[in-house]
């Protein structure tokens, strides 16, 4: 389809049901306008084309399982209705060109897929790394031109980088591999690009949820073959809303703080002659607690304790959702948040002791919720966002309080949706 055909399809409502499925009630309004703007942006940048496609790759929320995936643990998370949109078309010149709104254009020549030092920590590295992993696994690759626009805030803990990586993999999948590569395999490729080419030691949760979509429990005991447990959770049916609060600066400049968590967990595991903490129990940690503290300090032991307990909570939370026990789920969510505060210690960065936005948001939320709903640090931590599940009758007061503390529109009410997809 060319630009006019896509714009006509959006304008006459042909895509309304698809957009409602992805974005909820705002689909035919706000989301449709974003799609229109993306098509117009592509044409302005690259000109029209008869092979235009529209793709969407969602952000994600981590519900429970904070910093467990990188030690082969269990998580529960969901893809949400904030996403990266891309208008793209295949090309024959073996170059991937991606223009993202607000950023310089990336041009990646596929004849050279070796890591480029100057691209580290930049989006170009994610494109090159994704293409490399496709090629080394015998998948087809080729050039394309894409124009992207995102409403996934960077540094928010909603995984804008994972959404971007999965988007690139999805485009290559549909253009050159007949859409036959599974969402799980695209996620594994995306993690490779982030770990090896971008230079961030992330686990696989973010990419897996963005790619697979909806709400899932994931067991990473074998990271190459994660066990995915589809779940169904609708806070709205229980009179609640899922809310993300932007409560501080992003953690993009705090990679060392983030990387210390898996490093300390794996250091503790090494005392058990194990590469990761999965399979090590709480009693095991207590028996070696003196040695752990001597070798790696108190914080490493606390973080190991968090992993062991959090892994159990993630399984119990999935059970609670499956059994439709919403109150048990909320209780486990609150316990997870308390453990992140006390044991994992990823609420604020040690290097910036005066920046306590997440702690402030949590204190205010707990005071207002008065034992109802749930709240916890969201994502990697050290800044960014707080996640809350808020009763409908407290939503107005909750938003008012958070905007008093931070800024207008700091709260985002989210719904769950499918993973990365081709819209048209």
């Amino acid at each position: 389809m060319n630009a006019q055909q896509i714009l006509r399809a959006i304008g006459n409502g042909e895509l309304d049901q698809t957009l409602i499925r992805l974005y909820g009630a705002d689909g035919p309004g706000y989301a449709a306008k974003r799609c229109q703007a993306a098509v117009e942006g592509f044409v302005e940048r690259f000109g029209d084309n008869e092979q235009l496609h529209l793709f969407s790759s969602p952000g994600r929320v981590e519900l429970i399982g904070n910093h467990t995936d990188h030690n082969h643990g269990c998580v529960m998370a969901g893809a949400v209705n904030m996403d990266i949109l891309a208008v793209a078309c295949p090309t024959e010149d073996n170059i991937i060109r991606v223009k993202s709104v607000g950023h310089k254009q990336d041009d990646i020549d596929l004849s050279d897929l070796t890591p480029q030092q100057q691209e580290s920590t930049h989006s170009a590295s994610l494109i090159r790394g994704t293409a490399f992993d496709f090629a080394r696994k015998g998948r087809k690759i080729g050039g394309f031109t894409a124009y992207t626009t995102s409403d996934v805030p960077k540094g928010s803990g909603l995984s804008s980088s994972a959404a971007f990586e999965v988007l690139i993999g999805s485009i290559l999948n549909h253009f050159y591999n007949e859409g036959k590569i599974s969402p799980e395999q695209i996620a594994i490729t995306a993690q490779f690009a982030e770990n090896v080419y971008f230079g961030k030691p992330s686990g696989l949760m973010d990419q897996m949820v963005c790619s697979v979509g909806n709400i899932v429990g994931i067991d990473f005991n074998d990271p190459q073959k994660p066990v995915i447990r589809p779940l169904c959770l609708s806070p709205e049916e229980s009179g609640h809303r899922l809310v993300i609060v932007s409560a501080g600066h992003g953690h993009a400049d705090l990679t060392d703080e983030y990387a210390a968590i898996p490093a300390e967990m794996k250091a503790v595991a090494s005392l058990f002659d194990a590469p990761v903490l999965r399979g090590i129990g709480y009693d095991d940690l207590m028996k070696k607690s003196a040695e752990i503290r001597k070798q790696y300090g108190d914080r490493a032991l606390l973080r190991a304790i968090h992993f062991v307990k959090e892994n159990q909570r993630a399984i119990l939370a999935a059970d609670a959702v499956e059994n439709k026990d919403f109150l048990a789920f909320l209780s486990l969510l609150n316990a997870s948040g308390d453990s992140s505060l006390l044991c994992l210690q990823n609420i604020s960065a040690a290097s910036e002791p005066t920046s306590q936005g997440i702690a402030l948001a949590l204190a205010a939320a707990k005071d207002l919720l008065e034992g109802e709903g749930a709240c916890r640090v969201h994502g990697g931590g050290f800044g960014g966002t707080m996640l809350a599940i808020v009763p409908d009758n407290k939503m107005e007061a909750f938003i008012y309080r958070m905007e008093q503390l931070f800024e207008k529109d700091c709260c985002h009410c989210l719904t769950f949706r499918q993973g990365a997809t081709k819209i048209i």
Side-chain angles (χ1 to χ4, degrees):
M1 299 179 74
N2 62 32
Q4 290 306 313
Q5 289 171 320
I6 294 179
L7 291 173
R8 192 178 307 118
I10 297 170
N12 64 23
E14 289 179 40
L15 299 183
D16 282 1
Q17 291 306 309
T18 298
L19 296 178
I20 289 171
R21 189 175 71 249
L22 293 176
Y23 304 102
D26 290 338
Y30 169 70
K33 289 179 181 178
R34 286 184 63 224
C35 292
Q36 291 171 336
V39 173
E40 292 165 354
F42 181 96
V43 172
E44 182 179 347
R45 183 81 180 190
F46 300 112
D48 203 352
N49 191 284
E50 293 297 324
Q51 298 186 68
L52 293 186
H53 297 69
L54 186 59
F55 293 86
S56 167
S57 183
R60 70 98 185 98
V61 290
E62 170 202 286
L63 295 167
I64 199 165
N66 198 210
H67 282 282
T68 54
D69 58 332
H70 47 60
N71 268 254
H72 299 191
C74 298
V75 304
M76 188 167 82
V80 295
N81 58 332
M82 282 183 155
D83 71 340
I84 302 178
L85 277 169
V87 179
C89 69
T91 61
E92 297 180 356
D93 59 5
N94 214 38
I95 296 174
I96 295 177
R97 299 177 178 87
V98 179
K99 169 58 181 174
S100 299
V101 173
H103 302 275
K104 72 177 185 65
Q105 181 172 312
D106 292 316
D107 296 338
I108 306 300
D109 189 335
L110 299 180
S111 64
D112 181 8
L113 295 179
T114 58
Q116 308 294 308
Q117 185 175 0
Q118 71 276 13
E119 290 178 355
S120 177
T121 73
H122 297 285
S123 57
S125 66
L126 300 175
I127 302 169
R128 197 182 301 274
T130 299
F132 173 83
D133 199 57
F134 265 58
R136 73 168 178 156
K137 291 177 176 175
R139 303 166 185 162
K140 295 179 181 179
I141 60 174
F144 65 81
T145 299
Y147 181 91
T148 79
T149 178
S150 174
D151 65 356
V152 184
K154 285 199 170 186
S156 66
L158 295 179
S159 295
S160 58
S161 60
F164 182 80
E165 298 151 12
V166 167
L167 175 70
I168 299 301
S170 297
I171 294 173
L172 286 172
N173 186 25
H174 284 285
F175 283 171
Y176 297 105
N177 295 273
E178 300 178 332
K180 293 180 178 179
I181 302 170
S182 71
E184 293 84 355
Q185 288 302 313
I186 289 175
I188 290 170
T189 286
Q191 184 204 22
F192 168 85
E194 182 155 326
N195 289 175
V196 178
Y197 276 65
F198 188 85
K200 182 178 179 180
S202 71
L204 184 57
M205 177 185 69
D206 298 350
Q207 295 85 355
M208 190 63 69
V209 178
C210 293
S211 192
V212 172
N214 297 310
I215 303 164
V216 290
I218 310 176
D219 186 337
F220 289 110
N221 192 36
D222 181 351
Q224 293 304 308
K225 296 179 181 178
V227 178
I228 298 173
R229 182 180 180 182
L231 298 166
C232 183
L233 172 68
S234 175
E236 293 84 359
E237 291 181 1
S238 299
H240 292 70
R241 295 295 302 273
L242 174 67
V243 186
I244 288 289
V245 180
S246 300
H249 65 68
H251 49 249
D253 57 339
L254 297 170
T255 298
D256 290 345
E257 300 264 10
Y258 174 88
I261 293 175
E264 290 181 10
M265 289 183 180
K266 290 174 181 178
V268 171
S270 71
L271 295 180
F272 296 86
D273 296 320
V276 294
L277 285 172
R278 183 65 180 266
I280 297 169
Y282 181 78
D283 288 342
D284 298 324
L285 293 175
M286 292 301 101
K287 288 174 184 177
K288 286 201 173 187
S289 59
E291 184 179 357
I292 294 169
R293 296 178 67 196
K294 181 178 180 182
Q295 289 279 347
Y296 300 113
D298 293 343
R299 191 176 70 174
L301 176 57
L302 284 165
R303 286 175 165 173
I305 291 170
H306 167 83
F307 172 87
V308 170
K309 297 290 188 179
E310 184 77 345
N311 204 46
Q312 296 170 346
R313 277 188 292 268
I315 297 170
L316 292 173
D319 291 342
V321 169
E322 209 164 62
N323 294 329
K324 300 188 182 305
D325 191 342
F326 190 63
L327 290 180
F329 167 72
L330 290 178
S331 177
L332 288 161
L333 197 67
N334 278 315
S336 171
D338 291 343
S339 181
S340 291
L341 174 64
L342 179 65
C343 295
L344 190 61
Q345 300 182 27
N346 66 332
I347 305 301
S348 57
S351 59
E352 298 184 7
T354 61
S355 181
Q356 299 279 340
I358 297 295
L360 186 59
L362 288 168
K366 285 182 179 293
D367 179 69
L368 190 144
L369 292 174
E370 299 178 305
E372 296 185 76
C375 60
R376 53 155 305 147
V377 64
H378 181 251
F382 305 116
T385 55
M386 176 186 73
L387 178 146
I389 296 181
V390 183
D392 289 342
N393 62 359
K394 294 192 173 184
M395 272 299 299
E396 185 177 352
F398 182 89
I399 292 173
Y400 177 78
R401 177 69 73 223
M402 294 301 147
E403 290 187 344
Q404 269 188 325
L405 288 171
F406 303 109
E407 60 184 4
K408 186 174 174 56
D409 298 326
C410 63
C411 297
H412 304 280
C413 294
L414 304 176
T415 57
F416 297 111
R417 55 156 281 184
Q418 74 182 84
T421 186
K422 183 172 67 172
I423 295 176
I424 190 171

